[in-house]
Amino acid sequence: MTARQAEVVRNTKETQITASINLDGTGQGQLNTGMPFLDHMLDQIVRHGLIDINITCQGDTDIDDHHSAEDCGITLGQAFAKAIGDKKGIRRVGHAYVPLDEALSRVVIDIAGRPHLDFNVEFTRASVGGFDVDLFYEFFQGFVNHANIGIHVDNIRGRNTHHQIESIFKAFARALRMAAELDPRMAGQMPSTKGSL
């Protein structure tokens, strides 16, 4: 099997990021975005998606976390797009419902070659651990735009914002793992009637 791994270095005046991804990983990661709560959420992708991620970010968090959160999404999206390759043989579509106590979230993914984000989440508070929860939308939008995939994110219920977010990231991890998996019945074939994604 060809290694489905990639590394991306992205440097701007606002952030300097190095990110690597292994889609066929074993749940290993080194996460240092400068935003501890985002690191905690990325660890959900690593553990529940079995997608190895190493990421470091030096950003202008003294101003705000916005640039770093968005740019981490962009850089991981670029790495994902490189790692997934020509998409032959993948399942393409994945979905997951994940509860965390009172919170329940659903994520549905299509590795379609078209970026789209539908984000239906009403957070119950504005920040968790000092992190502005609005920035999760920016993270996912950056990821989607550069991974060229479609994602529907729905927090169906939840009272605790930490639980809402964590259930979303666990569902995202499991849905992404399912969609990116190689399907032995689809070996070498493009999962599209168009013949390309």
Side-chain angles (χ1 to χ4, degrees):
M1 181 175 71
T2 303
R4 299 192 303 160
Q5 304 175 40
E7 181 175 280
V8 172
V9 177
R10 185 176 190 272
N11 292 319
T12 72
K13 291 181 179 179
E14 297 167 340
T15 59
Q16 296 79 50
I17 302 173
T18 300
S20 64
I21 193 168
N22 177 359
L23 297 179
D24 303 304
T26 59
Q28 305 299 311
Q30 297 291 323
L31 310 168
N32 187 13
T33 65
M35 298 164 286
F37 193 65
L38 180 59
D39 289 345
H40 180 47
M41 292 304 108
L42 294 179
D43 198 32
Q44 306 309 313
I45 301 172
V46 171
R47 305 295 175 199
H48 294 276
L50 291 179
I51 296 170
D52 294 349
I53 295 173
N54 294 325
I55 184 168
T56 59
C57 173
Q58 297 292 323
D60 56 359
T61 54
D62 55 315
I63 296 172
D64 184 67
D65 289 339
H66 187 289
H67 299 144
S68 292
E70 181 180 28
D71 289 4
C72 283
I74 288 170
T75 308
L76 285 171
Q78 291 172 336
F80 177 88
K82 286 175 68 174
I84 199 73
D86 64 10
K87 306 182 188 84
K88 287 182 180 176
I90 65 169
R91 295 191 189 279
R92 176 180 163 176
V93 175
H95 58 89
Y97 285 80
V98 173
L100 178 54
D101 296 344
E102 88 298 342
L104 176 64
S105 295
R106 173 183 59 218
V107 175
V108 183
I109 293 176
D110 183 7
I111 303 176
R114 295 185 307 278
H116 179 82
L117 174 62
D118 203 278
F119 193 80
N120 297 297
V121 183
E122 292 185 15
F123 293 117
T124 56
R125 51 188 165 120
S127 68
V128 176
F131 188 84
D132 178 356
V133 297
D134 284 344
L135 297 182
F136 285 114
Y137 176 87
E138 305 303 331
F139 170 85
F140 280 113
Q141 189 68 73
F143 184 88
V144 161
N145 285 347
H146 292 270
N148 284 316
I149 65 177
I151 302 179
H152 288 253
V153 177
D154 296 283
N155 176 238
I156 297 167
R157 65 180 63 91
R159 291 184 305 275
N160 181 297
T161 304
H162 188 135
H163 293 173
Q164 289 178 289
I165 297 164
E166 191 165 330
S167 66
I168 287 166
F169 270 83
K170 287 177 178 175
F172 173 71
R174 290 186 172 273
L176 191 63
R177 176 181 172 185
M178 181 188 293
E181 275 182 340
L182 293 168
D183 181 349
R185 295 180 64 198
M186 187 63 78
Q189 298 179 62
M190 186 64 69
S192 169
T193 55
K194 296 194 299 286
S196 66
L197 288 174

